[in-house]
Amino acid sequence: MSKLYIVPTPIGNLKDITFRAIDVLKAADLILAEDTRTSGKLLKHYEIGTHMQSHHMHNEHKTVESVIQKIKSGTTVALISDAGTPAISDPGFLLTRACIEHNIEVDCLPGATAFVPALVNSGLPNDKFVFEGFLPVKKGRQTRLLLLAEETRTIIFYESPHKLVKTLGHFCAYFGEDRQVSVSRELTKLYEETIRGTAKEVLEYYTNKPPKGEIVIVVGGKK
């Protein structure tokens, strides 16, 4: 029986990958990729010729069992996502859990994760924090916001650019306009930007300057 490697990939800058990650991807028999076209650019850059197979949120329930059988038969599998560490708001949890249930060794490499630099450069307390990922789009969103309004620890969210203004508006309504907020956009990329201020100030900024790219929002806890 072989094992499953969980391999973080760069969130923007191709140089943000470890030597060990490159070695594992080259040595693996199979790479499970969220989007083979996106991952293909990374593999080509580092001259990695390992065969890839799609493993994403729309097919992971169907492919988990076949992957388990491949590993049991001696196939070394490496799991990557489009960016960052798999299973952090990306596919990976189901396969990891299944491997553990089948007594298959899981080896998760350290590496890039978007919320860590966003938290650290926010200037908000980071000794204790809560990672929320993406808020519910509709059902359960209000309930979640009401609950988080009482959270005293720093809170981290992921958000898409076209929903950022709406979400900041909800923060003003549920958390208060004076709650401290930091929005990091396009981390590690050429146009990286972090805007800090009250929820109202940051909302006004992005209302006048529609955002682009991947976004992490860090919100100060209730005082």
Side-chain angles (χ1 to χ4, degrees):
M1 185 185 297
S2 194
K3 68 165 75 172
L4 171 69
Y5 285 96
I6 299 174
V7 183
T9 54
I11 60 175
N13 191 319
L14 290 180
K15 294 181 180 179
D16 293 334
I17 190 168
T18 66
F19 294 128
R20 183 183 173 204
I22 295 172
D23 288 344
V24 167
L25 293 176
K26 285 183 176 181
D29 300 308
L30 174 66
I31 294 174
L32 299 179
E34 188 177 4
D35 187 325
T36 55
R37 294 167 299 180
T38 300
S39 297
K41 298 174 184 177
L42 175 69
L43 300 192
K44 182 179 180 181
H45 182 80
Y46 286 104
E47 300 179 345
I48 299 170
T50 308
H51 177 68
M52 281 192 293
Q53 176 182 315
S54 293
H55 184 82
H56 47 73
M57 63 180 294
H58 302 295
N59 74 356
E60 59 179 333
H61 287 84
K62 300 177 182 178
T63 59
V64 163
E65 188 58 37
S66 66
V67 173
I68 291 296
Q69 294 308 316
K70 287 179 180 179
I71 298 174
K72 283 187 172 182
S73 68
T75 301
T76 298
V77 176
L79 173 67
I80 61 177
S81 60
D82 288 349
T85 301
I88 303 296
S89 293
D90 277 328
F93 165 69
L94 292 178
L95 181 57
T96 300
R97 182 177 63 180
C99 284
I100 292 169
E101 290 173 349
H102 285 82
N103 295 315
I104 294 172
E105 185 178 354
V106 178
D107 192 348
C108 183
L109 278 60
T113 302
F115 77 77
V116 174
L119 171 63
V120 173
N121 73 25
S122 71
L124 294 168
N126 55 35
D127 55 331
K128 295 182 178 67
F129 60 89
V130 180
F131 176 71
E132 280 291 312
F134 290 95
L135 280 166
V137 178
K138 293 181 180 179
K139 186 177 181 181
R141 188 180 182 91
Q142 182 181 31
T143 302
R144 196 70 197 155
L145 287 167
L146 285 170
L147 178 66
L148 291 172
E150 301 303 314
E151 177 59 65
T152 58
R153 294 168 292 183
T154 299
I155 315 168
I156 304 167
F157 301 90
Y158 285 165
E159 191 52 282
S160 61
H162 65 278
K163 293 178 182 175
L164 177 61
V165 170
K166 177 182 179 181
T167 296
L168 290 171
H170 286 161
F171 289 168
C172 287
Y174 290 93
F175 300 165
E177 294 183 347
D178 61 345
R179 186 72 71 94
Q180 290 296 305
V181 171
S182 174
V183 173
S184 289
R185 185 179 66 82
E186 293 288 80
L187 285 165
T188 78
K189 300 178 184 177
L190 181 61
Y191 297 106
E192 177 178 336
E193 172 185 71
T194 295
I195 301 299
R196 309 172 184 86
T198 64
K200 181 180 180 180
E201 290 169 343
V202 178
L203 171 60
E204 290 175 349
Y205 177 87
Y206 282 112
T207 298
N208 295 320
K209 186 179 179 181
K212 296 180 181 179
E214 302 296 323
I215 289 168
V216 184
I217 312 172
V218 183
V219 180
K222 182 179 180 180
K223 295 182 179 180

